[in-house]
Amino acid sequence: MAAVIWVWATQIVATTMTPGHISLIVSMSGGALLANLVSVILMISEIVQIRR
């Protein structure tokens, strides 16, 4: 999603990157990183439970 926002901001609208665009991209990629970390934690906890 962050890549789509970047393409929209730079190619479709044809403006320079504003601080608002950059903060939106950073927050979207930060949210994706958080979701991936939660997913890894859940996967590890399931693996530990199966081995017991």
Side-chain angles (χ1 to χ4, degrees), residues 15 25 30 36 51:
T15 61
I25 292 169
N36 286 336
R51 293 187 182 213

Side-chain angles (χ1 to χ4, degrees), residues 17-42:
M17 293 292 286
T18 64
H21 292 138
I22 294 171
S23 66
L24 184 61
I25 292 169
V26 168
S27 68
M28 295 296 288
S29 60
L33 176 64
L34 179 63
N36 286 336
L37 289 174
V38 169
S39 176
V40 167
I41 290 169
L42 290 173

Side-chain angles (χ1 to χ4, degrees), residues 5-23:
I5 295 169
W6 178 78
V7 168
W8 174 78
T10 59
Q11 304 299 320
I12 297 172
V13 179
T15 61
T16 59
M17 293 292 286
T18 64
H21 292 138
I22 294 171
S23 66

Side-chain angles (χ1 to χ4, degrees), residues 37-51:
L37 289 174
V38 169
S39 176
V40 167
I41 290 169
L42 290 173
M43 182 182 65
I44 290 172
S45 69
E46 287 183 21
I47 290 172
V48 168
Q49 287 179 358
I50 289 174
R51 293 187 182 213

